Amino acid sequence: MARRECLLLLVLSATLFSFGASCSNGECRLLDECSSDSDCVAGLYCFSCPQGFSGSRCVRSTITDQFKLWNNSLPFNKYAFLTTHNAYAIDGEPPHTPVPRVTVTNQEDTVTQQLNNGVRGLMLDTYDFEGDVWLCHSFKGQCYDFTAFEPAIDTLKEIEAFLSANPAEIVTLILEDYVQAPNGLTKVFTDAGLMKYWFPVSNMPKNGQDWPLVSDMVANNQRLLVFTSILSKEQSEGIAYQWNYMVENQCCVHACKWRIN
Ligand SMILES: *[C@@H]1O[C@H](CO)[C@@H](O)[C@H](O)[C@H]1NC(C)=O
């Protein structure tokens, strides 16, 4: 009897397995189950994301370049860009303080890899720390040794390198900003060599009007948009206050999960 049950289980698991592996060898399409990257068609890789879907499935490794589908002659607000939340909170980021980090990570790619894979919006949390501006995944507006990721200048220099190597690309930074040091952000953006790409707040449309054409922003080399969460910095440092220019819609894992399933 015990033996029969065992056999039954084997048959059952073989059946399940054959359902699970309905594709392989580079034939699995978007969101098909997979066991390794080579199962997926070109442009996809095998990934598990418990918050989004069950098991391992083929997902996109890079974006579709919308400027190749169309061209860049529309207003900036007519395009959509992939944006990473806590772009700096990266798995395996080496420690930059004397103590191990005790905080949550959100990304696997470095910022340079994110940009090369098509990310054009980076959400960064900026703090006063060690007499400088740092990126930290922290709480109550205070950065600690154990919540610090890295000095902001390191990440900003990666962004500068990308903008310099890709003269037709535009990058948007959305800062959850806790920097109180006067001109602290202005100094670190200047030191990173990013001011030459700065899109001036005076050219940003208010009241829902169209933005300039992407082609004009590129021609003028105004290819870095920076938004802060601190209202007063629009006056004091010329850094756009996020909610003067943006709206946010409600999107959550639940809704995404519902669409996938
Ligand atoms: C961009 O594409 C549209 C649609 O194909 C076309 O009408 C327009 O002339 C193009 N603009 C440039 C500058 O190539």
Side-chain angles (χ1 to χ4, degrees), residues 17-34:
F17 181 75
S18 67
F19 275 129
S22 55
C23 57
S24 62
N25 287 331
E27 291 167 349
C28 301
R29 311 194 76 86
L30 191 66
L31 291 179
D32 281 350
E33 290 204 25
C34 50

Side-chain angles (χ1 to χ4, degrees), residues 124-128 132-135 152 156 173 175-192 194-195 198 226-230 233 237 239-240:
L124 305 174
D125 297 359
T126 48
Y127 288 78
D128 291 312
D132 209 339
V133 178
W134 279 59
L135 304 178
L156 296 184
L173 306 183
L175 307 182
E176 188 177 314
D177 189 6
Y178 301 99
V179 173
Q180 300 294 336
N183 295 312
L185 285 184
T186 301
K187 180 176 187 308
V188 74
F189 276 101
T190 304
D191 292 349
L194 280 171
M195 294 313 288
W198 195 270
V226 183
F227 297 93
T228 170
S229 55
I230 299 181
K233 286 193 184 177
E237 291 186 62
I239 304 175

Side-chain angles (χ1 to χ4, degrees), residues 1-19:
M1 189 66 181
R3 207 164 140 205
R4 228 175 96 194
E5 268 174 19
C6 185
L7 265 179
L8 209 69
L9 259 177
L10 267 179
V11 172
L12 205 69
S13 60
T15 316
L16 282 177
F17 181 75
S18 67
F19 275 129

Side-chain angles (χ1 to χ4, degrees), residues 69-74 79 215:
L69 293 179
W70 188 256
N71 53 33
N72 70 357
S73 61
L74 295 177
Y79 301 89
S215 49

Side-chain angles (χ1 to χ4, degrees), residues 90-159:
I90 298 160
D91 287 347
E93 173 68 30
H96 298 274
T97 68
V99 307
R101 201 176 289 121
V102 188
T103 184
V104 177
T105 58
N106 297 84
Q107 305 298 334
E108 290 160 337
D109 289 356
T110 66
V111 164
T112 297
Q113 288 166 336
Q114 291 173 40
L115 292 167
N116 287 337
N117 286 339
V119 172
R120 293 293 176 268
L122 302 167
M123 300 177 86
L124 305 174
D125 297 359
T126 48
Y127 288 78
D128 291 312
F129 188 62
E130 303 274 301
D132 209 339
V133 178
W134 279 59
L135 304 178
C136 310
H137 201 184
S138 203
F139 47 90
K140 294 195 170 168
Q142 175 84 39
C143 182
Y144 301 91
D145 274 344
F146 63 93
T147 59
F149 272 86
E150 60 177 4
I153 184 125
D154 295 357
T155 298
L156 296 184
K157 280 181 171 169
E158 288 185 66
I159 296 164

